[in-house]
Amino acid sequence: MAKETLIKHNTADYNIAVQTIKDAILRSQYQAAKLVNREMLSLYYGIGRYVSANSRKGFWGTNAIETISDRSRKELPGLKGFSTTSIKKMRQFYEQWAPVINKSTATAVNLPLTTNEIDIDSLLCVVPRFNYMTKN
């Protein structure tokens, strides 16, 4: 009888151990997915900001985004998700969310997407270009 009780006790302990480990794995997988999503949003936002500043306010020509997309894919074979259309969507993503993010930073509103979620300061800083049209 003692052996049966011991087996039941061990089985219960094992069930608890398995559940504990399973919960830890699922929590870790969820955290990893959140971190990957945050990085991807940061990347898309940063690329969008960079492209917006240079294509809308800068001096890039009409085919600049297409050229950048083509060259990027040549530099990084197998790169996916950075077609001309995708880069334009990143620019649109930035242009749509920038006012909301800037407003949320100023008013400290807790939105699902805040500057705490996206590292907007460290990604793709817009470097002012020399304007060849002005005389020094």
Side-chain angles (χ1 to χ4, degrees), residues 16-117:
I16 291 169
V18 169
Q19 188 62 44
T20 302
I21 291 169
K22 179 180 137 188
D23 290 345
I25 290 168
L26 293 175
R27 262 194 322 274
S28 182
Q29 288 176 336
Y30 176 72
Q31 279 298 109
K34 277 182 22 180
L35 292 172
V36 167
N37 286 337
R38 180 173 46 188
E39 275 306 305
M40 294 305 295
L41 285 173
S42 295
L43 177 63
Y44 296 157
Y45 188 89
I47 290 171
R49 179 174 64 177
Y50 182 78
V51 170
S52 179
N54 286 290
S55 65
R56 302 271 196 228
K57 302 168 192 159
F59 63 93
W60 285 0
T62 55
N63 290 328
I65 294 173
E66 184 176 39
T67 302
I68 290 167
S69 174
D70 290 343
R71 288 187 184 179
S72 296
R73 285 185 279 166
K74 286 178 184 168
E75 292 277 329
L76 297 165
L79 180 68
K80 294 182 180 185
F82 295 91
S83 66
T84 301
T85 302
S86 293
I87 292 173
K88 286 179 180 178
K89 286 181 180 181
M90 290 174 207
R91 178 179 63 186
Q92 183 180 16
F93 171 66
Y94 163 75
E95 290 171 352
Q96 293 293 315
W97 277 97
V100 175
I101 289 173
N102 292 336
K103 182 179 179 184
S104 72
T105 302
T107 60
V109 173
N110 228 356
L111 296 173
L113 186 64
T114 66
T115 52
N116 293 335
E117 297 292 321

